[in-house]
Amino acid sequence: MSRYYQPEIETAPREKIIEIQNEKIVRQVRHVWDNVPYYRRLMEEKGVTPDDIKTIDDIKKLPFLSKADLRDAYPYGLLGTDLKNCVRIHSTSGTTGKRVVAFYTQHDIDLWEDCTARAIVAAGGTEDDVVQVCYGYGLFTGGSGLHGGSHKVGCLTLPMSSGNTERQIQFMMDLGSTILCCTPSYAAYIGESLAEMGYRPEDNKLKAGIFGAEPWTEEMRRDIEKKLGIKAYDIYGLTETSGPGVSYECEEQAGMHINEDHFYAEIIDPDTGEVLPEGEKGELVFTSLDKEAFPLLRDRTRDICVLSRRPCSCGRTHVRMSKPMGRSDDMLIIRGVNVFPSQIETVLLNEGYTPNYQIVLDRERNNDTFDVYVEVSADQFSDLMSQIQKMEKSLESALRTMLGIGPKVHLVAPKTITRSEGKAVRVIDKRKLHD
Ligand code: ADP
Ligand code: ZN
């Protein structure tokens, strides 16, 4: 039996959700027009006024916000209320080099924490659970987002933040943590460390993990589930929309339900801006329907995914988004071929390697070089010397089949690739140095 944090809204009939969205969008566009001169100007340039927005379908008339707008408007240009009404700021981790500062009123924090509470309950959380939050606390949204939701559900919350893996494990074992919240790459690292300390997966009390903030593959999910002896749930969000909890997985583990009463999602063709029909892959665009301080309309995420309205066995009626396969910024163009790091992760785990890898790109005589460094496990390492070349060749050929382009593979000794405590750095692109 599924449990919900706010059943009346999480399982609301479709018509009810549309009714809520219709009502909220009219109010929100008016709020933005009145309070955010930056966006009002974009609307005026497009010849749209709040009178043109009568239902959620009219959202198509509104202009998009891009990362460039967010940069231009830094820091206060998209603020929707007086600073004196705000109680907090958060900032992006700057993964793609562009920092965004987001503002929150108490109302905004409250609705955000409702979203993460929904995610925790969907992962099986109750007031009997011990939730270990090892997303970073601070400007990053991960720590405080899950922390707030955990309080709302009434779980015993361990505000560990990231890092100090030995202490994480000591608290996990001593206090009997049942739900782990962190990035998937850190979860894999914790799993690896537990095994090294001699613990078996059944020795910990964990039952679930809520992992997000970076792309991860199904293969990575299975690897983490096995190492930790848990069920691993995906959670998605971005600083612009609040933080994690915009969408989250239920027990089906087949796409993340978007909290549609707060966030309206569209998929567009990233080149033309045209809205694509359900089921087509494109760039995800979010409109915050009721945030006060940072009320972004039609914000382009650059994340590429697919939406599905197929009914879900969990009883939730909110639309599901597929795992983003990485942002359009993450896509590498190597000798003219499009490559996503997630494809490489899939091959490595399928071929029995660790998820510890790094991609290095460079340019030699106007040609891209493409190297993948892959760590072998300790047992693979023992017979490595005689085998190394054979294993490298075989992995190169598996990668060539997946990517359509062959990298040079370098198998490296255990523990040589730096572990991540937050968002993993998978790509080192030195080509830019030559431009
Ligand atoms: P930054 O852009 O600095 O990483 P954020 O911390 O706001 O800033 O991160 C938001 C981004 O993280 C999203 O746009 C998305 O690319 C990525 N992300 C978050 N959750 C997930 C997830 N579950 N799967 C894949 N990518 C995710
Ligand atoms: Zn579901």
Side-chain angles (χ1 to χ4, degrees):
M1 248 307 268
S2 294
R3 290 178 55 264
Y4 315 101
Y5 179 65
Q6 290 167 316
E8 58 311 328
I9 185 75
E10 289 171 69
T11 63
R14 188 85 219 111
E15 311 78 71
K16 176 73 188 160
I17 296 174
I18 295 173
E19 194 186 309
I20 295 173
Q21 292 178 332
N22 284 342
E23 194 190 302
K24 287 189 177 178
I25 191 67
V26 171
R27 216 173 36 220
Q28 187 72 331
V29 170
R30 173 62 65 187
H31 166 58
V32 170
W33 175 269
D34 290 343
N35 295 292
V36 185
Y38 188 98
Y39 196 79
R40 180 178 178 143
R41 184 177 51 78
L42 295 182
M43 283 176 69
E44 282 168 348
E45 278 168 16
K46 233 185 155 216
V48 199
T49 72
D51 293 335
D52 296 316
I53 311 299
K54 299 196 172 66
T55 70
I56 194 71
D57 283 337
D58 294 326
I59 205 165
K60 294 191 190 71
K61 300 176 186 164
L62 294 170
F64 291 116
L65 279 171
S66 65
K67 299 273 174 201
D69 288 310
L70 294 173
R71 225 175 19 243
D72 275 3
Y74 173 91
Y76 298 124
L78 291 164
L79 187 63
T81 185
D82 271 358
L83 270 183
K84 71 169 188 299
N85 300 324
C86 298
V87 296
R88 195 178 313 156
I89 71 157
H90 280 287
S91 168
T92 55
S93 27
T95 313
T96 51
K98 304 143 200 150
R99 276 193 187 278
V100 173
V101 175
F103 300 84
Y104 304 71
T105 62
Q106 187 54 49
H107 159 273
D108 298 338
I109 299 271
D110 213 43
L111 76 83
W112 175 25
E113 293 179 347
D114 280 344
C115 291
T116 50
R118 289 178 194 175
I120 291 171
V121 174
T126 70
E127 57 189 19
D128 294 325
D129 279 296
V130 180
V131 174
Q132 181 161 349
V133 183
C134 25
Y135 284 110
Y137 281 64
L139 283 173
F140 177 51
T141 53
S144 34
L146 269 303
H147 179 101
S150 174
H151 273 221
K152 284 211 172 198
V153 178
C155 309
L156 176 61
T157 311
L158 305 189
M160 302 293 296
S161 198
S162 60
N164 201 338
T165 307
E166 252 172 54
R167 190 181 60 187
Q168 301 278 4
I169 289 176
Q170 189 192 339
F171 271 71
M172 175 186 294
M173 301 312 280
D174 293 352
L175 301 175
S177 305
T178 55
I179 299 181
L180 183 66
C181 305
C182 57
T183 57
S185 50
Y186 195 42
Y189 180 29
I190 291 178
E192 179 186 9
S193 307
L194 273 169
E196 277 169 14
M197 291 164 78
Y199 291 112
R200 294 163 306 172
E202 57 273 26
D203 292 337
N204 69 64
K205 288 219 168 64
L206 291 175
K207 63 178 189 190
I210 304 179
F211 305 133
E214 64 181 0
W216 53 311
T217 57
E218 283 303 325
E219 290 74 17
M220 180 85 160
R221 185 207 307 267
R222 285 195 289 277
D223 187 60
I224 295 172
E225 289 188 329
K226 201 165 79 200
K227 276 187 187 142
L228 292 172
I230 59 169
K231 194 159 168 171
Y233 295 83
D234 202 353
I235 187 167
Y236 168 90
L238 54 165
T239 312
E240 290 91 314
T241 49
S242 288
V246 170
S247 65
Y248 59 91
E249 271 183 342
C250 62
E251 67 262 23
E252 275 285 298
Q253 294 179 305
M256 296 178 268
H257 289 285
I258 297 174
N259 285 305
E260 285 187 278
D261 52 328
H262 298 304
F263 303 101
Y264 183 77
E266 299 169 275
I267 293 285
I268 63 163
D269 177 327
D271 298 323
T272 64
E274 183 202 350
V275 179
L276 299 176
E278 182 200 329
E280 284 197 26
K281 188 161 88 182
E283 179 179 351
L284 190 56
V285 174
F286 277 116
T287 294
S288 296
L289 293 170
D290 45 13
K291 273 166 52 189
E292 296 172 339
F294 207 54
L296 303 192
L297 304 179
R298 299 197 94 195
D299 179 43
R300 295 182 58 161
T301 64
R302 302 210 199 178
D303 291 323
I304 304 291
C305 72
V306 179
L307 297 183
S308 162
R309 293 211 168 275
R310 215 162 21 86
C312 187
S313 67
C314 75
R316 288 178 184 78
T317 47
H318 295 224
V319 68
R320 278 179 286 172
M321 58 179 269
S322 65
K323 261 181 180 307
M325 63 180 302
R327 16 188 160 194
S328 44
D329 322 28
D330 286 343
M331 191 184 76
L332 305 167
I333 303 180
I334 309 171
R335 290 176 226 140
V337 179
N338 298 349
V339 172
F340 279 97
S342 58
Q343 297 174 300
I344 295 173
E345 186 174 295
T346 296
V347 173
L348 295 185
L349 288 160
N350 278 340
E351 299 285 317
Y353 288 91
T354 70
N356 301 309
Y357 65 97
Q358 204 150 46
I359 302 161
V360 179
L361 304 174
D362 207 340
R363 193 165 291 151
E364 248 172 42
R365 283 171 303 213
N366 284 327
N367 237 334
D368 291 339
T369 58
F370 176 20
D371 292 83
V372 181
Y373 292 81
V374 182
E375 212 179 275
V376 292
S377 60
D379 19 321
Q380 283 170 321
F381 194 54
S382 51
D383 54 17
L384 191 66
M385 284 316 162
S386 54
Q387 291 286 320
I388 182 163
Q389 275 193 335
K390 223 167 104 200
M391 287 163 76
E392 284 176 343
K393 286 288 164 251
S394 137
L395 192 49
E396 279 172 5
S397 120
L399 285 165
R400 186 175 305 109
T401 306
M402 166 70 107
L403 308 173
I405 173 175
K408 171 118 196 59
V409 168
H410 310 263
L411 293 179
V412 297
K415 299 269 168 279
T416 37
I417 291 179
T418 316
R419 300 294 185 272
S420 138
E421 296 171 347
K423 300 194 189 217
V425 180
R426 303 290 194 198
V427 181
I428 299 174
D429 195 342
K430 301 182 185 163
R431 294 177 300 183
K432 297 188 181 114
L433 300 176
H434 313 299
D435 286 340

